Amino acid sequence: MYYIKDAKVRRMTDFDGAPCAEVGVLPGAVGDLPLLVYIVEDRREDGYEIVRILTNDADESSDWFDNNMHNAFEDVTASAFPGSVVMSPEDERFKFQRELLMFGNLKKELEQRFRAYL
C-alpha cells in the first residue's frame, strides 16, 4: 500500500476531453516514488475517480525544474495496485483513492478547482 506524506493539486488539464486535476503526491514510505495522479469528476465514486497515475523517478537535485525531457515519468496506472493476500487490486485502488481524497483539504480544493475550471 502507498502511504501519503503530502498531496496538492498542481494544475487543471483535460483527459479525453473531460476536465481533469493533476495531483502531486509525495510518498510517506522510503523507497516509494512521487506520483502524479489524474482525477476526473465522477458521480459514482465519492465524486471523483483516478484515471491515470504516473511515477516520477527523477533525482530532485538534478531535476529541480520538473521536466519530462529524460522520460522520468512512467505510466503505472495498470500496475499501481497489484493486490495482495488481503486485498484485491480493486480494493487497493479504492482504498488509495479514498485516502487521497481525505488527505488534508484535497477534496475541498478539487471541488473549488473543478468549479472554477468550468
Side-chain angles (χ1 to χ4, degrees):
M1 188 62 207
Y2 191 91
Y3 298 101
I4 301 167
K5 177 180 177 181
D6 195 17
K8 295 179 182 154
V9 177
R10 293 171 46 130
R11 67 185 178 119
M12 293 299 293
T13 186
D14 286 333
F15 183 83
D16 287 341
C20 179
E22 179 184 84
V23 178
V25 181
L26 295 178
V30 175
D32 284 348
L33 296 172
L35 301 176
L36 289 178
V37 178
Y38 294 83
I39 299 174
V40 296
E41 286 187 300
D42 184 353
R43 298 181 194 275
R44 299 169 299 187
E45 300 289 333
D46 294 327
Y48 301 97
E49 180 185 3
I50 293 173
V51 292
R52 187 175 187 203
I53 301 173
L54 303 178
T55 59
N56 181 2
D57 65 357
D59 180 4
E60 287 184 24
S61 63
S62 63
D63 189 31
W64 53 270
F65 46 88
D66 195 20
N67 75 56
N68 194 20
M69 299 288 288
H70 46 68
N71 297 323
F73 294 93
E74 179 184 351
D75 190 336
V76 294
T77 308
S79 62
F81 307 101
S84 67
V85 229
V86 210
M87 296 180 88
S88 70
E90 296 80 20
D91 289 341
E92 274 188 12
R93 182 183 181 100
F94 180 74
K95 184 175 191 258
F96 174 76
Q97 179 173 302
R98 188 177 66 237
E99 289 176 359
L100 182 60
L101 292 174
M102 289 176 14
F103 186 85
N105 292 325
L106 187 67
K107 191 168 184 178
K108 187 175 187 176
E109 187 179 354
L110 285 171
E111 290 169 0
Q112 293 170 347
R113 294 282 192 111
F114 275 101
R115 206 173 315 125
Y117 192 75
L118 298 175

